[in-house]
Amino acid sequence: MNFIQTRGIDTNKPAKAAFSEVILDPIASFGGLYVPEKLPELGEEFLQKHLQSSYKELALDMLLRFEVDIEKEILEEALALYDKFDDGKNPVPVVKVKEDLFVSELYHGPTRAFKDMALQPFGVVLSSIAQKRDENYLILAATSGDTGPAALETFKNRANVKVACLYPDGGTSDVQRLQMVTEDAPNLKVIGIHGVFDDAQSALKRLLASQDFKNTLKEKHTMLSAANSVNFGRIIFQIIYHIHSYLELVRTNEITMGEKVYLNVPSGNFGNALGGYYAWKMGLPVEKIIISSNENNVLTRLIKDGKYDLRQSEVVSTTSPAMDILKSSNVERVLYDLFGTERTRELMQNLEEQNFYELTQEELIKLQECFDADFCTGEEGKKYIKDTFEKNNYLMDPHTATCMKSYETCTKDGIKTIAYSTAEWTKFSPVIANALTGAQNMSDIEALETISKTASLPIPQMVKDLFSKEIAQKTVIEKENIEDEILKFL
Ligand SMILES: *Cc1c(COP(=O)(O)O)cnc(C)c1O
C-alpha cells in the first residue's frame, strides 16, 4: 500500500511513500497529509468472516489488507498490548444504554482515555521501524492532558526512542498530571510549563520546524518526530474499533448484518471520526457519522453551513478540554477524499491565509451525505451526565456527554446509534461530581470519592495508586527555556 498526498506534490517529497515512511515523517508536500492511495475493500464477506473473531484477529486481518510494510510478527507484538486492557479478550466493550443507543467504550487502556487505542500499538510499530533503520528518534509531544500520558506509557523503555512531553502546569487535571509526572524511565522527560496549552503547542511547532534544532539533534545522532494525531500510524488503529463495535451489535442480536447505524463521535482533531469514515468507505454499513462538539463548534458550523470560519473565533476553555480545538487537522483528509487534490489545496490555503473557507452548495450536499453535527454546552452536558445516570444507570464523562445532544437532534427513528466514549469518569471527576451532586471546586481525589459513593463504583486501583506514587518528573520551567531543557535531557 502506498500513500499519496492531500495537497499535491512539491519537489522535496517523493510522490508516493510507504507506511513506515509516513509514520516517521507525517507531513506531506505543501504542509498536507498522507492518505492511502486506495482503501482496501472489506465488504460483508469480511464482516461475516470476523463475526466469531477476537479483537486482535480482526485487527490483524485489517492491517494485513492495508499491506503495510511492517512484519506480521511486529504487528502481532503491537496488537498484543490490547491484552493489558481491562478485559484482554474484549478491549472495547459496547454497552447498551437505551433501546437504540449503544456506547462503545474506548477508555479501558492503561491511561483511561481513548488515546491508548492508537498510541499503545503505535509505540511498538514506531520503535521497531527505528531499530530496523538503526536510527534514534526524539518524539515531541505537547498535551492538554490525554495524549501526554498515553505517549509516555507507550514509549516507556522502548529502544531507539526518547520522549519529551510538554504540559501546561496547572492546566490539566490532577489525575492527568500525576499520570505524567510519576512516569519514571530513562528515555522519558516530562516538562511542565508556566503557561497554557497553546504555549506548549507553539513551542513544539517551533522546534519541529527549526532547522537549527534538527542540526543540533543530528550531532547527537537523533532525528525528530511527533506522535500527533495526523500521523497515519495512529489513524489506522482507529478504523478497527468502529468495525468491532458494529460486529458487537450483530453478535448480541441488536442489529442484523447489513443494517445501517449512526456512528456518533465526540470530536477534536477528527482522528476518531476519520477512522469511522474510512471504515464506512471500506464497507461498514453506516447511515451517517455524527460529529459532536462542545462550545468550540467550528465543525458543527462547517457541516451545517459549509463554512470553516475562524475569523471571529478563539478557543474557549470547556468542561471537555480534549475537544477544545479550532483547527481540526484530519478534516483535510475528508476534503481530499470528497473533492480531490486541487480543491483541498485551495481550501487549506484559504484557511491558512484568511482563517476561512467556504464550500460550494454542491460540495456541502456531498459532505452532508456523510456527516451530520451538533454541539453541546458544558451546562447541557452536565444535565445529560446526571439524567443518563439517574434514568439509565450509565455514567459518562463530559466528552462522551456531548454525543447525547446530537443523538437527540440528528438521528431518525428506527436507526440505532453507536456513540463513542473517549474517557473514563476517573479522568474528569470534578465536573462529573458537580453534575451528579452540585458539589463545587472539588479536588480530583475528593471528586473521585464522591462519585464512587454516589454511583457505587469502585475507584480503579491504578487511579488510586497515582496519589501515593513517587513524583519522578519535577521539572517546571518558563517557556523560553524549553529547548535548553530538552537538549540537557539528551
Ligand atoms: C483526544 C480526545 C478526543 C478527541 O478525539 P479526536 O480524534 O482528536 O477527534 C475526545 N475525547 C477525549 C477524552 C480525548 O482524549
Side-chain angles (χ1 to χ4, degrees):
M1 159 85 58
N2 281 316
F3 286 80
I4 53 176
Q5 310 177 43
T6 51
R7 300 189 198 178
I9 307 154
D10 66 19
T11 50
N12 301 321
K13 302 269 176 179
K16 295 183 181 180
F19 183 67
S20 61
E21 291 165 331
V22 308
I23 283 190
L24 295 177
D25 188 9
I27 299 302
S29 303
F30 307 113
L33 302 175
Y34 287 101
V35 287
E37 187 168 28
K38 191 170 175 296
L39 287 168
E41 282 279 340
L42 301 183
E44 193 169 318
E45 185 200 343
F46 180 88
L47 297 177
Q48 285 289 0
K49 174 180 168 198
H50 286 293
L51 257 184
Q52 309 305 328
S53 298
S54 68
Y55 191 90
K56 281 194 295 180
E57 286 162 346
L58 166 70
L60 183 64
D61 195 12
M62 202 215 70
L63 293 171
L64 293 176
R65 303 228 182 171
F66 263 92
E67 296 173 12
V68 293
D69 61 332
I70 308 288
E71 286 91 353
K72 191 171 167 207
E73 292 66 37
I74 303 285
L75 295 177
E76 282 171 336
E77 186 190 335
L79 294 173
L81 291 173
Y82 291 126
D83 293 344
K84 293 192 309 186
F85 281 47
D86 291 336
D87 177 358
K89 288 205 191 64
N90 185 4
V92 181
V94 179
V95 178
K96 184 169 185 166
V97 174
K98 295 184 188 182
E99 204 40 48
D100 59 355
L101 174 65
F102 302 82
V103 176
S104 173
E105 297 180 344
L106 304 176
Y107 58 72
H108 289 275
T111 71
R112 316 318 283 166
F114 111 100
K115 301 292 188 285
D116 288 330
M117 290 306 304
L119 277 167
Q120 279 287 303
F122 179 80
V124 172
V125 171
L126 190 137
S127 168
S128 82
I129 301 170
Q131 288 173 66
K132 203 167 159 193
R133 293 179 162 225
D134 199 18
E135 291 169 348
N136 293 301
Y137 281 84
L138 170 67
I139 307 279
L140 288 182
T143 186
S144 62
D146 282 342
T147 303
L152 294 164
E153 184 63 30
T154 194
F155 290 116
K156 179 164 69 179
N157 296 318
R158 291 220 183 275
N160 298 49
V161 181
K162 288 183 175 165
V163 180
C165 175
L166 312 173
Y167 73 95
D169 188 39
T172 69
S173 76
D174 295 340
V175 167
Q176 289 172 325
R177 182 177 48 82
L178 289 170
Q179 283 179 330
M180 294 188 272
V181 299
T182 58
E183 283 286 17
D184 191 9
N187 69 329
L188 305 180
K189 177 74 187 176
V190 179
I191 302 173
I193 306 206
H194 294 300
V196 294
F197 170 62
D198 263 348
D199 296 318
Q201 171 118 316
S202 308
L204 174 128
K205 285 192 177 152
R206 210 171 43 244
L207 290 176
L208 285 174
S210 159
Q211 200 52 51
D212 280 353
F213 185 62
K214 283 183 197 152
N215 290 341
T216 313
L217 290 185
K218 217 179 246 166
E219 287 162 24
K220 298 173 188 288
H221 307 287
T222 300
M223 324 247 280
L224 195 56
S225 191
N228 52 21
S229 73
V230 297
N231 197 311
F232 201 87
R234 281 176 60 177
I235 300 295
I236 200 168
F237 291 106
Q238 298 185 10
I239 301 171
I240 301 159
Y241 55 70
H242 292 286
I243 302 173
H244 161 85
S245 303
Y246 184 90
L247 289 177
E248 279 288 289
L249 293 197
V250 178
R251 283 175 196 133
T252 50
N253 294 318
E254 296 290 353
I255 57 172
T256 52
M257 184 65 89
E259 186 174 336
K260 287 185 176 174
V261 297
Y262 292 107
L263 306 180
N264 189 329
V265 187
S267 295
N269 221 7
F270 214 77
N272 195 353
L274 180 73
Y277 176 80
Y278 281 150
W280 183 7
K281 289 272 145 169
M282 287 159 59
L284 196 69
V286 172
E287 175 70 19
K288 255 180 204 188
I289 297 177
I290 297 174
I291 303 302
S292 301
S293 300
N294 60 26
E295 290 90 333
N296 296 291
N297 59 1
V298 267
L299 293 174
T300 311
R301 289 183 281 133
L302 173 68
I303 291 162
K304 293 284 190 202
D305 312 330
K307 293 177 191 164
Y308 205 113
D309 192 352
L310 303 180
R311 289 173 301 188
Q312 313 293 327
S313 306
E314 274 188 31
V315 187
V316 291
S317 294
T318 70
T319 51
S320 43
M323 296 158 66
D324 292 350
I325 289 176
L326 293 180
K327 281 200 179 156
S328 192
S329 314
N330 280 302
V331 172
E332 180 170 349
R333 288 184 161 119
V334 173
L335 296 180
Y336 171 82
D337 199 62
L338 294 176
F339 313 130
T341 314
E342 293 306 314
R343 185 61 173 151
T344 302
R345 184 156 88 210
E346 188 176 31
L347 292 172
M348 295 314 293
Q349 203 170 354
N350 287 352
L351 188 63
E352 275 162 23
E353 286 165 8
Q354 295 152 33
N355 269 327
F356 176 76
Y357 67 70
E358 181 167 8
L359 303 178
T360 64
Q361 196 54 34
E362 225 168 83
E363 288 169 339
L364 178 58
I365 289 169
K366 258 180 136 176
L367 186 72
Q368 289 175 342
E369 280 166 7
C370 304
F371 298 98
D372 202 350
D374 205 349
F375 72 99
C376 176
T377 66
E379 283 310 310
E380 289 171 327
K382 279 194 280 187
K383 197 163 173 309
Y384 285 121
I385 291 172
K386 186 175 164 69
D387 282 358
T388 313
F389 175 67
E390 288 174 353
K391 291 190 192 131
N392 308 96
N393 197 26
Y394 188 77
L395 188 62
M396 57 176 68
D397 98 294
H399 300 78
T400 313
T402 63
C403 298
M404 296 304 287
K405 170 89 175 278
S406 52
Y407 158 72
E408 288 179 359
T409 59
C410 300
T411 58
K412 280 190 282 201
D413 283 352
I415 302 174
K416 297 195 166 107
T417 295
I418 302 173
Y420 290 87
S421 180
T422 48
E424 188 176 56
W425 60 276
T426 54
K427 269 199 121 162
F428 299 93
S429 55
V431 178
I432 299 172
N434 176 252
L436 293 181
T437 72
Q440 304 267 4
N441 300 323
M442 280 190 162
S443 69
D444 275 35
I445 191 73
E446 289 167 332
L448 286 167
E449 279 160 6
T450 301
I451 299 166
S452 175
K453 230 183 272 156
T454 311
S456 308
L457 284 170
I459 303 172
Q461 195 59 41
M462 67 213 292
V463 175
K464 249 193 239 168
D465 288 347
L466 284 173
F467 292 88
S468 53
K469 249 178 156 174
E470 195 177 331
I471 308 289
Q473 308 270 357
K474 296 188 177 130
T475 309
V476 179
I477 58 171
E478 299 301 326
K479 59 189 183 216
E480 290 73 30
N481 302 329
I482 291 171
E483 184 170 345
D484 288 346
E485 196 64 42
I486 293 175
L487 291 175
K488 233 190 311 175
F489 159 58
L490 294 177

